[in-house]
Amino acid sequence: MKANQQKPVGKQSTSVVKGSQPKDRSNTKETKENFIKKLQFASISYDFNQEDKELKSKTERLNYLQELQDLLNDQNDVVNLVIPHLDLVVEMIEKNIFRPLPILKKANQVDGGIEEDEALTDPAWPHLQPVYEFFLQLILNEACDVKSLKVFVTHNFIQMFLELFDSEEPREREYLKNILHKLYAKLVPRRKMIRKAINDCFYTLIHENFKFNGAAELLDILASIISGFAVPLREEHVYFFKTVIVPLHKVQTCQLYHEQLLRCSMLFLSKDPQLAITLVDGLLRYWPFANSQKEVMFLSELLEVLEVCDVAKLEPLIPKLFKRLVRCISGPHLQVADRAMCFFENDYFLSILKTYKSFTFPLLVPVIAKIADTHWHKILQESLNALKTILKEIDYNAYEKALNAQNPKALQMVKDQKELKKERSKQDEKWKVLQKLAQQKNPQLKEVVIPYCDTHIVGKNNGLDLSLIHI
């Protein structure tokens, strides 16, 4: 009977242990020690460029990272294991992600001899991805509150985190964007600090470097931040628009993030339409040369921004605006000229043209009339002839007066290249005569090197060919 009585007791005690184990598992000393050991093992760095080296340790490390990630699915584990050891958790994350960024090969030769950017792959990414995923899920976890997390999100942490955005691995930049966005949303006390750090990052791009791989991702974050700005805009936000958003257009690699930059610009204009004048002025000031792709983007943005502008406040910018359009239309690049012609299909732009016709007609009519007969492309020639008709319909008398004006200065911008070369050769001859006279008076005088060459890319942009003459 004693044996029979002991059996049910044994079964009962086993069931109690099994039932209570999940509840007490995270509180046991052994579990906490295992958790710390996993964090320490996951903090070890390896050479991931050599796949066959230390393969067993790398695989074990991945398994530990997966186990750590699984802990976040159980709130009991988060409260009893992760939060009390948050300093060790953040230390593990920092040791993994804060590293010198690798330089990856970019160009890939494809059929047809055209070089295209291949998908950039960091050999360490499969081992970094679980760390980023763990960090993201940790921030999203409700148990990880603001008070616990903000202690570790310092100015130094944000600076080092933003430097990672220059990674050439696009998947890493996507994780960085999501994590920073969630941190900004969760840590209200750190928002101003994060915005300032992002500003500093863009100041470096504008004034020191010419490229930053993560510019598009940071602008994506800024777009969501800007959309939450209260109206009227605070002075610091207007200052940010004038010192960051507008100057970002002048960066050499602007086309890599122009789509996101345009979105940020238009979000600002939806909050304060008066900023449109500042943006138009900035676009005209930072207009690209020798970069037709960027010119097309600038023209598209300019037309979109003009629709927000108050016509009356545009008056100081009208000379700059129409001179730029004339240069684009009369230029040698077909896509740039075609995009500039799209302005005249816009009703709001035509209303600007009509309002300031005393200036726009003397500038436009002589140039349009000349290149409409001589342009090399048939379709654009038809568009130019259609524009002549539009200008006549707006004001026939003003059109005829501008057309019949003697020696209009606007034609200097569309001079024939042969004529320009003749003028240049005459100037060169005068210079040679002056050089000889100077050498007669001073035989030791060295020949001056003229900083001009008609075959050089800046030859048509330095003003010596009269194409940038002030009218």
Side-chain angles (χ1 to χ4, degrees), residues 188-203:
V188 177
R190 295 287 184 262
R191 285 184 180 181
K192 190 172 183 179
M193 185 185 74
I194 292 172
R195 286 201 304 271
K196 187 179 182 302
I198 293 174
N199 290 2
D200 292 341
C201 194
F202 280 125
Y203 287 143

Side-chain angles (χ1 to χ4, degrees), residues 267-311:
L267 280 168
F268 263 109
L269 300 191
S270 68
K271 302 282 183 181
D272 186 358
Q274 292 182 356
L275 293 174
I277 302 296
T278 304
L279 184 53
V280 171
D281 186 33
L283 286 169
L284 294 171
R285 188 188 309 124
Y286 301 132
W287 201 269
F289 72 90
N291 189 338
S292 54
Q293 181 188 0
K294 196 173 173 182
E295 272 196 280
V296 170
M297 290 192 300
F298 267 50
L299 285 165
S300 300
E301 182 173 357
L302 182 59
L303 182 55
E304 198 169 335
V305 175
L306 282 173
E307 293 181 354
V308 186
C309 291
D310 184 354
V311 177

Side-chain angles (χ1 to χ4, degrees), residues 157-327:
F157 178 90
I158 293 297
Q159 270 194 323
M160 294 176 71
F161 194 80
L162 285 173
E163 288 174 7
L164 294 173
F165 275 84
D166 201 25
S167 169
E168 294 178 351
E169 172 60 67
R171 292 170 294 183
E172 181 172 12
R173 296 200 303 269
E174 190 65 24
Y175 263 105
L176 290 165
K177 179 181 79 172
N178 291 332
I179 289 169
L180 186 59
H181 193 187
K182 300 302 179 187
L183 280 173
Y184 185 88
K186 190 163 192 171
L187 301 182
V188 177
R190 295 287 184 262
R191 285 184 180 181
K192 190 172 183 179
M193 185 185 74
I194 292 172
R195 286 201 304 271
K196 187 179 182 302
I198 293 174
N199 290 2
D200 292 341
C201 194
F202 280 125
Y203 287 143
T204 304
L205 173 62
I206 293 165
H207 301 294
E208 296 180 22
N209 301 334
F210 71 95
K211 186 181 178 184
F212 183 69
N213 290 316
E217 285 79 11
L218 284 180
L219 285 168
D220 267 337
I221 296 171
L222 282 177
S224 61
I225 294 173
I226 294 164
S227 61
F229 284 167
V231 177
L233 290 172
R234 284 155 57 182
E235 188 178 343
E236 67 169 292
H237 298 152
V238 174
Y239 182 78
F240 167 76
F241 176 81
K242 292 179 179 179
T243 59
V244 175
I245 296 296
V246 176
L248 274 173
H249 288 83
K250 76 175 181 179
V251 179
Q252 184 181 352
T253 52
C254 171
Q255 59 265 31
L256 298 177
Y257 57 79
H258 186 263
E259 182 184 343
Q260 292 80 8
L261 180 60
L262 176 58
R263 187 180 168 211
C264 289
S265 300
M266 298 313 293
L267 280 168
F268 263 109
L269 300 191
S270 68
K271 302 282 183 181
D272 186 358
Q274 292 182 356
L275 293 174
I277 302 296
T278 304
L279 184 53
V280 171
D281 186 33
L283 286 169
L284 294 171
R285 188 188 309 124
Y286 301 132
W287 201 269
F289 72 90
N291 189 338
S292 54
Q293 181 188 0
K294 196 173 173 182
E295 272 196 280
V296 170
M297 290 192 300
F298 267 50
L299 285 165
S300 300
E301 182 173 357
L302 182 59
L303 182 55
E304 198 169 335
V305 175
L306 282 173
E307 293 181 354
V308 186
C309 291
D310 184 354
V311 177
K313 293 182 179 179
L314 266 174
E315 186 173 1
L317 298 175
I318 291 299
K320 281 184 183 178
L321 172 62
F322 279 87
K323 285 176 191 175
R324 176 53 60 195
L325 287 175
V326 167
R327 291 191 188 109

Side-chain angles (χ1 to χ4, degrees), residues 366-380:
V367 175
I368 299 300
K370 180 175 181 179
I371 61 178
D373 298 328
T374 59
H375 201 279
W376 60 273
H377 197 273
K378 186 178 179 181
I379 295 175
L380 198 61

Side-chain angles (χ1 to χ4, degrees), residues 434-448:
L434 288 171
Q435 187 86 10
K436 286 179 181 178
L437 289 172
Q439 285 177 341
Q440 286 175 4
K441 291 187 177 182
N442 183 9
Q444 295 180 349
L445 182 70
K446 293 182 180 180
E447 187 175 347
V448 179

